[in-house]
Amino acid sequence: MHTIPVEHTDPINAQILAVSEDLVSGFHRHPFHVIAEKSGVDLGTVLERIRAMLEGGVVRRVRQTLLSTKLAHGALVAWKVPEEKLNAAFDFMAKEDPFSGHVVIRSTDTEVSGSGYRLWTTLKVPVGESLDEHATVLLRLTGATEYLLMPANGVFALGVGHVRRRSLEPGEKADETAVMMTTVPVDLTEEEWNVLLALKEELLPEEVVASPWDGRAAKAGVSVDRFCEVATTLNDKKVIGRFSTFLEHVKPSSTGERVTRFNGLFHWAVPKGREIEAGGEVGRHYCMTHCYWREGGPQFGDVNVMGVVHGTEKPRVMEHKAAIDRHLESIGIPVSYTNVFWGGRSEIKPSEISPVVYKEWHARMAEA
């Protein structure tokens, strides 16, 4: 009986994933064709392998991502939660709040500024709604005692590419500094929202086909041609991210394989006025899956540049950070505070951005 390999370490799967994780930028009418062309693997095999990895849990979702910084108000949130309520609060954020995306329990190697904030989430609310209002409701529902909102003033790196990054040497970086993306929301028409909401949902295994948008166009009540025209307009408005296969990079597969074992949230505090310069220098390092200008305030040593690095070995993750530290020092950017918050228990899901879902959720939770 023929068994399709599903592990990310299989040579053909690795060849596909090196492209499909984060190298298919923007909207494409036939995204799997693009993966086949860029990876050098024929289309039939690409579809077969991605479908098998999705069904096997190695790929946790396949979807068209959005640049939600353009569609919603967002922030990284650090929560103080009594230790006895920490796991319950985690469960609520992960399972009951569709507006919380990444939900992670983090720890530090030593007691330093901010160590008491163990629960970290990303939070999005529709444009016109209040992050503070939503966080205050979560505070009541979870028993957390304090939260700190850290919206992104700018984005320097936003990707995944775990398979591609496994062989990186510390210090490897782009020739040019990373360009900061802004987080100013855009206005969409009713038709654009309709197409966007159909476009963003993750693909089911049976939708991993040569023309994945045919069914989505039907759900949106428009022709495939019109669906793709509107999606192209959304792409031009810079609200479309990449088409991506997201690996299950935290939990082991059925055979015990892990994509990564450690993720470090790196903090640097640089002089005010040099955030864009420093963020561009940190974000140009290929190891960074995320890099932002966020203000942590005195609770976190006045940190203003944050980023995430993943790896299978903790010392290797720290080697990447040391290389970035040396680079900042070599170009004369002083760092007054730096730290690493290590990820432990975690759940990752897309944050909901629908205004309708937001109103329904708050109406339901008003009496909770």
Side-chain angles (χ1 to χ4, degrees):
M1 179 177 167
H2 174 63
T3 302
I4 303 170
V6 297
E7 294 297 353
H8 71 278
T9 50
D10 174 83
I12 293 176
N13 290 346
Q15 194 174 340
I16 294 168
L17 292 166
V19 173
S20 66
E21 279 197 273
D22 67 344
L23 292 185
V24 183
S25 300
F27 173 79
H28 297 272
R29 184 165 187 159
H30 298 106
F32 295 110
H33 288 68
V34 178
I35 294 169
E37 181 182 347
K38 288 190 172 187
S39 68
V41 179
D42 69 273
L43 177 63
T45 302
V46 165
L47 294 171
E48 177 186 64
R49 293 299 184 93
I50 291 177
R51 193 180 302 121
M53 286 189 283
L54 182 59
E55 290 175 333
V58 174
V59 167
R60 73 176 186 271
R61 61 176 59 94
V62 179
R63 66 184 289 260
Q64 180 71 60
T65 69
L66 310 178
L67 294 177
S68 53
T69 52
K70 297 283 188 179
L71 297 165
H73 304 302
L76 178 66
V77 192
W79 302 85
K80 268 190 179 177
V81 185
E83 195 67 26
E84 68 275 10
K85 296 181 178 180
L86 185 58
N87 281 302
F90 176 100
D91 289 337
F92 186 89
M93 303 285 196
K95 298 174 184 177
E96 304 298 333
D97 180 27
F99 305 94
S100 292
H102 290 51
V103 183
V104 186
I105 293 177
R106 294 192 177 274
S107 59
T108 55
D109 290 330
T110 57
E111 287 294 319
V112 293
S113 178
S115 292
Y117 294 84
R118 296 287 314 284
L119 184 62
W120 294 70
T121 65
T122 55
L123 178 61
K124 302 280 192 313
V125 298
V127 172
E129 304 295 348
S130 166
L131 285 163
D132 256 319
E133 178 186 357
H134 192 79
T136 299
V137 172
L138 291 176
L139 201 74
R140 171 175 62 83
L141 294 171
T142 62
T145 59
E146 187 182 334
Y147 65 85
L148 179 66
L149 296 172
M150 294 172 277
N153 295 323
V155 183
F156 301 95
L158 187 59
V160 279
H162 298 300
V163 169
R164 192 163 40 82
R165 286 178 166 89
R166 286 169 74 96
S167 59
L168 284 176
E169 290 297 321
E172 286 191 52
K173 57 186 181 294
D175 293 335
E176 304 293 332
T177 59
V179 176
M180 187 178 81
M181 295 177 281
T182 62
T183 58
V184 179
V186 298
D187 292 321
L188 301 183
T189 66
E190 184 177 349
E191 183 185 40
E192 287 169 341
W193 268 112
N194 187 39
V195 168
L196 188 76
L197 294 175
L199 181 70
K200 75 180 182 66
E201 296 302 325
E202 57 194 74
L203 299 184
L204 299 172
E206 58 267 27
E207 293 179 300
V208 180
V209 294
S211 300
W213 306 127
D214 292 8
R216 298 305 174 91
K219 287 181 181 178
V222 297
S223 69
V224 177
D225 285 343
R226 182 57 184 163
F227 185 90
C228 293
E229 285 173 12
V230 175
T232 300
T233 300
L234 293 168
N235 198 63
D236 293 340
K237 288 188 173 184
K238 308 294 185 189
V239 300
I240 300 293
R242 62 186 181 272
F243 184 84
S244 182
T245 59
F246 289 84
L247 283 170
E248 177 50 77
H249 65 270
V250 176
K251 301 168 187 172
S253 71
S254 58
T255 62
E257 290 273 0
R258 288 181 184 266
V259 177
T260 65
R261 295 184 64 88
F262 299 93
N263 77 81
L265 172 62
F266 296 171
H267 281 188
W268 292 275
V270 301
K272 291 195 179 300
R274 302 188 71 177
E275 296 93 346
I276 297 176
E277 178 190 2
E281 295 293 347
V282 172
R284 72 192 287 190
H285 285 76
Y286 294 130
C287 62
M288 304 298 302
T289 58
H290 302 74
C291 183
Y292 300 91
W293 169 11
R294 299 186 190 273
E295 299 285 346
Q299 296 96 322
F300 291 96
D302 292 317
V303 60
N304 45 19
V305 176
M306 301 183 184
V308 177
V309 171
H310 295 79
T312 54
E313 299 173 354
K314 189 174 181 179
R316 189 65 164 178
V317 174
M318 290 303 295
E319 286 176 16
H320 285 297
K321 182 177 185 300
I324 297 172
D325 291 343
R326 287 193 298 271
H327 176 67
L328 293 175
E329 183 179 10
S330 72
I331 58 175
I333 298 180
V335 174
S336 60
Y337 162 84
T338 186
N339 198 13
V340 182
F341 285 79
W342 296 103
R345 187 185 179 197
S346 66
E347 290 290 344
I348 301 170
K349 64 186 193 294
S351 296
E352 182 57 73
I353 56 171
S354 166
V356 174
V357 175
Y358 184 84
K359 285 181 170 51
E360 290 174 348
W361 188 90
H362 274 271
R364 191 168 70 252
M365 291 298 168
E367 302 301 322

